[in-house]
Amino acid sequence: MKKLSRKDIKQEVFDLYDAYAHNKLERREFMEKLSAYAVGGLSLSALTSFLMPNYADNIQVPLQDESLNTETISYSSPKGGGEIKAQLSRPADTKVKLPGIVVVHENRGLNPYIADVGRRAAKAGFVSIAPDALSPLGGYPGNDDEGREMQRKRDRNEMLEDFIAAFEYLKNHEECSGSVGVVGFCFGGWISNMMAVKVPALKAAVPFYGSQPPLEMVDQIKAPLLLHYGELDQRVNAGWPDYEKALKENNKEYMAYIYPDANHGFHNDTTPRYDEAAAKLAWERTISFFKENLG
């Protein structure tokens, strides 16, 4: 059977997956709707398998990378109770304090892709912390479907406080210079926007296709913003015009990029929504932005 590629799949299929991944469709309804596109020798199981993340074959920076010191740490959850576990990663051979980056996961906990992104940030010369907001429920369960169900059980504002606590942990870490930014993806993009509102000491925020904060809170933003959107992501992009207007009216420092023909999740290299050119460019811009604003 021919190996599927992104070009073989209609945009409607990606839109269906987006609705499913963001709890707009239950799995049964998703599968029923998806079956309409299993035609021309393409089975439903093959199509489903193609859409789901493949973590094993797409890790860019292995956990055992000897150029990094990577470990699991924990800190107290301010609102959710118990401890939040997080991956802490930094260059192994550094002799000076480094700026820090909080890496915020999607709506499914700290899966292997986001942990990998945390290590990529460390590879670029930062101390990174990648918390798992599912820690009070036992942590990322090993697959995204269960992870999404678990994350739905947590209050998103309580999770926001958990990530703000990660900022404080990193800011005061002995290997961090105290200059800290945040990057987040999907749900983490919303967290990044909200941390820009809630954390005056935040030095930079980079939301990837994240929902926007309440417009009446935009005036509270102190950190410069770098915003990444996929052109085909109608759900999240619907809020961008009003957000941009509010940023301009409040004289906020920001840069925004909309990547042509890119879907929501285009940076995630474990799914067919991945857009290699857009992802690499967005990440290069992100690292340059952090270097400029974090020192």
Side-chain angles (χ1 to χ4, degrees):
M1 181 181 292
K2 173 188 173 184
K3 184 178 180 180
L4 287 175
S5 71
R6 184 183 171 207
K7 293 180 180 179
D8 297 321
I9 306 301
K10 292 184 178 181
Q11 181 59 36
E12 291 87 348
V13 171
F14 291 113
D15 293 341
L16 268 179
Y17 179 76
D18 185 79
Y20 169 63
H22 295 89
N23 305 313
K24 307 298 183 183
L25 291 176
E26 296 296 331
R27 183 173 179 83
R28 180 176 179 178
E29 185 180 3
F30 168 64
M31 296 298 288
E32 288 176 352
K33 291 179 179 293
L34 188 62
S35 65
Y37 298 92
V39 296
L42 176 62
S43 69
L44 179 58
S45 61
L47 183 56
T48 304
S49 177
F50 177 69
L51 289 172
M52 298 304 166
N54 175 5
Y55 295 127
D57 297 328
N58 292 286
I59 296 299
Q60 295 188 27
V61 182
L63 181 61
Q64 300 80 13
D65 190 305
E66 294 183 355
S67 71
L68 301 177
N69 283 335
T70 300
E71 61 183 311
T72 298
I73 60 91
S74 62
Y75 60 90
S76 296
S77 171
K79 301 284 188 178
E83 296 288 304
I84 297 295
K85 291 185 177 181
Q87 175 188 267
L88 184 72
S89 189
R90 62 277 198 202
D93 59 355
T94 184
K95 298 295 190 292
V96 298
K97 292 187 176 184
L98 299 172
I101 300 175
V102 181
V103 180
V104 188
H105 60 67
E106 305 148 308
N107 65 335
R108 60 211 70 172
L110 183 60
N111 61 26
Y113 154 63
I114 295 295
D116 187 24
V117 172
R119 297 190 295 273
R120 295 177 209 174
K123 272 284 203 181
F126 300 89
V127 184
S128 73
I129 187 169
D132 186 355
L134 299 187
S135 297
L137 303 177
Y140 176 70
N143 71 82
D144 284 11
D145 281 351
E146 290 183 33
R148 279 191 294 270
E149 287 300 313
M150 290 173 66
Q151 191 155 323
R152 290 172 72 177
K153 296 176 182 178
R154 291 214 60 199
D155 179 88
R156 71 174 188 166
N157 289 303
E158 289 183 356
M159 288 187 282
L160 171 60
E161 294 300 322
D162 291 337
F163 287 105
I164 292 175
F167 165 86
E168 295 294 341
Y169 177 97
L170 189 56
K171 182 173 180 288
N172 294 299
H173 192 275
E174 62 181 6
E175 295 179 68
C176 181
S177 67
S179 181
V180 178
V182 62
V183 61
F185 304 84
C186 182
F187 162 79
W190 175 78
I191 291 286
S192 299
N193 276 315
M194 290 303 297
M195 285 179 64
V197 168
K198 296 279 190 177
V199 185
L202 188 72
K203 298 299 184 183
V206 184
F208 274 75
Y209 28 84
S211 296
Q212 299 77 20
L215 299 180
E216 63 271 18
M217 292 184 171
V218 170
D219 65 331
Q220 300 176 42
I221 293 174
K222 300 291 190 297
L225 300 170
L226 173 62
L227 304 114
H228 301 297
Y229 294 102
E231 181 185 30
L232 303 178
D233 186 6
Q234 297 182 24
R235 177 177 55 83
V236 170
N237 294 356
W240 169 237
D242 288 341
Y243 188 23
E244 182 174 38
K245 180 181 178 183
L247 289 169
K248 289 180 177 178
E249 288 176 345
N250 287 279
N251 297 311
K252 299 304 176 182
E253 182 181 348
Y254 76 95
M255 291 186 291
Y257 296 96
I258 299 177
Y259 296 84
D261 198 34
N263 276 287
H264 183 91
F266 70 79
H267 184 267
N268 187 333
D269 55 355
T270 72
T271 81
R273 296 185 297 174
Y274 175 58
D275 186 307
E276 183 177 8
K280 288 183 175 180
L281 179 56
W283 188 246
E284 289 171 1
R285 286 169 168 165
T286 296
I287 294 302
S288 294
F289 185 74
F290 280 138
K291 288 181 176 179
E292 177 182 350
N293 288 284
L294 303 184

